[in-house]
Coordinates of all heavy atoms in Angstrom, one line a residue:
D208 N 73.9 134.3 -78.3 CA 75.0 135.2 -77.8 C 75.4 136.1 -79.0 O 75.8 135.7 -80.0 CB 76.1 134.3 -77.4 CG 77.2 135.1 -76.6 OD1 76.8 136.2 -76.0 OD2 78.3 134.8 -76.7
Y209 N 75.3 137.4 -78.8 CA 75.8 138.4 -79.7 C 76.9 139.2 -79.0 O 77.2 138.9 -77.9 CB 74.6 139.4 -80.1 CG 73.6 138.8 -80.9 CD1 72.6 138.0 -80.4 CD2 73.5 139.0 -82.3 CE1 71.5 137.5 -81.1 CE2 72.5 138.4 -83.1 CZ 71.6 137.6 -82.5 OH 70.6 137.1 -83.3
Q210 N 77.6 140.0 -79.8 CA 78.7 140.7 -79.2 C 78.4 141.5 -78.0 O 79.1 141.4 -77.0 CB 79.3 141.7 -80.3 CG 80.6 142.4 -79.8 CD 81.2 143.3 -80.9 OE1 80.7 143.4 -81.9 NE2 82.3 143.9 -80.5
R211 N 77.3 142.2 -77.9 CA 77.0 143.1 -76.7 C 75.7 142.7 -76.1 O 75.2 143.3 -75.2 CB 77.0 144.5 -77.1 CG 78.4 145.1 -77.4 CD 78.3 146.6 -77.5 NE 79.7 147.1 -77.4 CZ 80.4 147.4 -78.4 NH1 80.0 147.1 -79.6 NH2 81.6 147.9 -78.2
A212 N 75.0 141.6 -76.6 CA 73.8 141.2 -76.0 C 73.6 139.7 -76.0 O 74.2 139.0 -76.7 CB 72.6 141.9 -76.9
C213 N 72.7 139.3 -75.1 CA 72.3 137.9 -75.0 C 70.8 137.9 -75.3 O 70.0 138.6 -74.6 CB 72.5 137.3 -73.6 SG 72.2 135.6 -73.5
V214 N 70.4 137.3 -76.3 CA 69.0 137.2 -76.7 C 68.3 136.0 -76.4 O 68.7 134.9 -76.7 CB 68.8 137.4 -78.3 CG1 67.4 137.5 -78.7 CG2 69.6 138.8 -78.7
V215 N 67.2 136.1 -75.6 CA 66.4 135.0 -75.2 C 65.2 135.0 -76.2 O 64.4 135.9 -76.2 CB 65.9 135.1 -73.8 CG1 64.9 133.9 -73.4 CG2 67.1 135.1 -72.8
V216 N 65.1 133.9 -77.0 CA 63.9 133.8 -78.0 C 62.9 132.9 -77.4 O 63.1 131.8 -77.1 CB 64.5 133.3 -79.4 CG1 63.3 133.2 -80.4 CG2 65.6 134.1 -79.9
L217 N 61.7 133.5 -77.3 CA 60.6 132.7 -76.7 C 59.5 132.6 -77.8 O 59.5 133.3 -78.8 CB 60.0 133.5 -75.5 CG 61.0 133.8 -74.4 CD1 60.3 134.7 -73.3 CD2 61.5 132.5 -73.7
Q218 N 58.6 131.6 -77.5 CA 57.5 131.3 -78.5 C 56.3 130.8 -77.8 O 56.2 130.4 -76.7 CB 58.0 130.3 -79.5 CG 58.1 128.8 -78.8 CD 58.5 127.8 -79.8 OE1 58.6 128.0 -81.0 NE2 58.8 126.6 -79.3
G219 N 55.2 130.9 -78.5 CA 53.9 130.3 -78.1 C 53.2 131.0 -77.0 O 53.2 132.3 -77.0
D220 N 52.6 130.3 -76.1 CA 51.9 130.8 -75.0 C 52.7 130.7 -73.7 O 53.1 129.6 -73.4 CB 50.5 130.0 -74.8 CG 49.5 130.2 -76.0 OD1 49.8 131.1 -76.9 OD2 48.6 129.4 -76.1
L221 N 52.8 131.8 -73.0 CA 53.6 131.8 -71.7 C 52.6 132.0 -70.6 O 52.0 133.1 -70.6 CB 54.6 132.9 -71.8 CG 55.7 132.8 -72.8 CD1 56.5 134.1 -73.0 CD2 56.6 131.6 -72.5
D222 N 52.5 131.1 -69.7 CA 51.6 131.3 -68.6 C 52.3 130.8 -67.3 O 53.6 130.5 -67.3 CB 50.3 130.6 -68.8 CG 50.5 129.0 -69.0 OD1 51.4 128.4 -68.5 OD2 49.5 128.5 -69.6
H223 N 51.5 130.7 -66.2 CA 52.2 130.4 -64.9 C 53.0 129.0 -64.9 O 53.8 128.9 -64.2 CB 51.1 130.4 -63.8 CG 50.1 129.4 -63.9 ND1 49.0 129.5 -64.8 CD2 50.0 128.2 -63.3 CE1 48.3 128.3 -64.7 NE2 48.9 127.5 -63.8
D224 N 52.5 128.1 -65.8 CA 53.2 126.8 -65.8 C 54.7 126.9 -66.4 O 55.5 126.0 -66.2 CB 52.4 125.8 -66.7 CG 51.2 125.4 -66.1 OD1 51.0 125.5 -64.9 OD2 50.2 125.0 -66.9
D225 N 55.0 128.0 -67.0 CA 56.3 128.2 -67.6 C 57.3 129.0 -66.8 O 58.4 129.2 -67.2 CB 56.1 128.8 -69.0 CG 55.3 128.1 -69.9 OD1 55.5 126.8 -70.1 OD2 54.3 128.7 -70.5
Q226 N 56.8 129.5 -65.6 CA 57.7 130.4 -65.0 C 59.0 129.9 -64.4 O 60.0 130.5 -64.4 CB 56.9 131.0 -63.8 CG 55.6 131.8 -64.3 CD 55.9 132.6 -65.5 OE1 56.7 133.6 -65.5 NE2 55.2 132.3 -66.6
D227 N 59.1 128.6 -63.9 CA 60.3 128.0 -63.4 C 61.3 128.0 -64.5 O 62.5 128.4 -64.4 CB 60.0 126.6 -62.8 CG 59.3 126.7 -61.5 OD1 59.3 127.7 -60.9 OD2 58.7 125.6 -61.1
L228 N 60.9 127.5 -65.7 CA 61.8 127.4 -66.8 C 62.2 128.8 -67.3 O 63.4 129.1 -67.6 CB 61.1 126.6 -68.0 CG 62.1 126.4 -69.2 CD1 63.3 125.7 -68.9 CD2 61.3 125.7 -70.3
L229 N 61.3 129.8 -67.3 CA 61.6 131.1 -67.7 C 62.6 131.8 -66.7 O 63.5 132.4 -67.1 CB 60.3 131.9 -67.8 CG 60.5 133.4 -68.3 CD1 61.2 133.4 -69.7 CD2 59.1 134.1 -68.4
R230 N 62.4 131.6 -65.4 CA 63.3 132.1 -64.4 C 64.8 131.5 -64.6 O 65.8 132.2 -64.6 CB 62.9 131.8 -63.0 CG 61.9 132.8 -62.5 CD 61.7 132.6 -61.0 NE 60.8 131.4 -60.7 CZ 59.5 131.3 -60.8 NH1 58.9 132.4 -61.1 NH2 58.9 130.2 -60.6
L231 N 64.8 130.2 -64.9 CA 66.1 129.6 -65.1 C 66.8 130.1 -66.4 O 67.9 130.3 -66.4 CB 66.0 128.1 -65.2 CG 67.1 127.2 -65.5 CD1 68.2 127.3 -64.3 CD2 66.7 125.7 -65.6
T232 N 66.0 130.3 -67.4 CA 66.5 130.8 -68.6 C 67.0 132.2 -68.5 O 68.1 132.5 -69.0 CB 65.3 130.8 -69.7 OG1 64.9 129.5 -69.9 CG2 65.8 131.3 -71.0
M233 N 66.3 133.0 -67.8 CA 66.8 134.4 -67.5 C 68.0 134.4 -66.6 O 68.9 135.2 -66.9 CB 65.6 135.2 -66.9 CG 64.3 135.4 -67.8 SD 64.7 136.1 -69.3 CE 65.3 137.7 -68.9
R234 N 68.1 133.6 -65.7 CA 69.3 133.5 -64.9 C 70.5 133.1 -65.8 O 71.6 133.7 -65.7 CB 69.1 132.5 -63.7 CG 70.1 132.6 -62.7 CD 69.8 131.6 -61.5 NE 68.5 131.8 -61.0 CZ 67.6 130.7 -60.9 NH1 68.1 129.5 -61.1 NH2 66.4 130.9 -60.4
T235 N 70.3 132.1 -66.7 CA 71.4 131.7 -67.6 C 71.8 132.8 -68.4 O 73.0 133.1 -68.7 CB 70.9 130.5 -68.4 OG1 70.5 129.4 -67.5 CG2 71.9 130.0 -69.4
A236 N 70.8 133.5 -69.0 CA 71.2 134.7 -69.9 C 71.9 135.8 -69.2 O 72.8 136.3 -69.7 CB 69.9 135.3 -70.5
R237 N 71.5 136.1 -67.9 CA 72.2 137.1 -67.2 C 73.6 136.8 -66.9 O 74.5 137.7 -66.7 CB 71.5 137.3 -65.9 CG 70.2 138.2 -66.0 CD 69.8 138.8 -64.7 NE 69.9 137.8 -63.6 CZ 68.9 137.0 -63.1 NH1 67.7 137.1 -63.7 NH2 69.1 136.3 -62.1
L238 N 74.0 135.5 -66.8 CA 75.3 135.1 -66.5 C 76.3 135.4 -67.7 O 77.5 135.5 -67.4 CB 75.4 133.6 -66.3 CG 74.8 133.0 -65.0 CD1 74.8 131.5 -65.0 CD2 75.5 133.6 -63.9

């Protein structure tokens, strides 16, 4: 959490197996 931004830091290999967690993470960040 920054003053005017929310930064999601990702790492490694992102593929179809990670999409549920990525969607949840993005939803959390948008909140």
